[in-house]
């Protein structure tokens, strides 16, 4: 039994829109992540290094080539300090 070609038009449109939306969603995720592919399965050490890179460079994925940290980095600790109780 033949299938009328008019039935394939909505199927093609739906498939095309899914493909276009998937492509743009992938590009959006990549652009948010500074052009790098997304990271999956980050453990605590990776998150600490991402935070350190953010404090050094101002971006999550950025890294610096300087061997010494800037002077402002000495006081921008990631650890919350507890107030001293006397």
């Amino acid at each position: 039994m033949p299938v009328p070609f008019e039935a394939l038009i909505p199927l093609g449109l739906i498939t095309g829109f899914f493909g276009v939306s998937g492509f743009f969603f992938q590009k959006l995720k990549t652009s948010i992540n500074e052009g790098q592919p997304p990271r999956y399965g980050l453990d605590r050490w990776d998150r600490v290094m991402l935070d350190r890179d953010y404090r050094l460079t101002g971006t999550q994925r950025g890294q610096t080539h300087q061997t010494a940290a800037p002077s402002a980095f000495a006081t921008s600790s990631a650890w919350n300090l507890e107030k001293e109780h006397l």
Side-chain angles (χ1 to χ4, degrees), residues 6-76:
E6 292 91 2
L8 299 177
I9 293 173
L11 179 65
L13 287 173
I14 291 171
T15 304
F17 279 120
F18 269 113
V20 168
S21 62
F23 173 77
F24 283 117
F25 183 69
Q26 189 265 342
K27 289 297 177 188
L28 177 68
K29 283 175 57 176
T30 303
S31 67
I32 289 172
N33 207 15
E34 300 174 15
Q36 302 290 329
R39 291 182 172 182
Y40 299 107
L42 296 177
D43 60 356
R44 188 173 181 184
W45 175 257
D46 293 331
R47 293 188 192 281
V48 169
M49 290 295 107
L50 283 173
D51 185 44
R52 178 192 64 109
D53 290 341
Y54 180 74
R55 289 187 291 126
L56 279 172
T57 62
T59 61
Q60 286 283 347
R61 299 290 294 259
Q63 295 181 355
T64 182
H65 66 282
Q66 299 171 351
T67 57
S71 59
F73 190 73
T75 59
S76 65

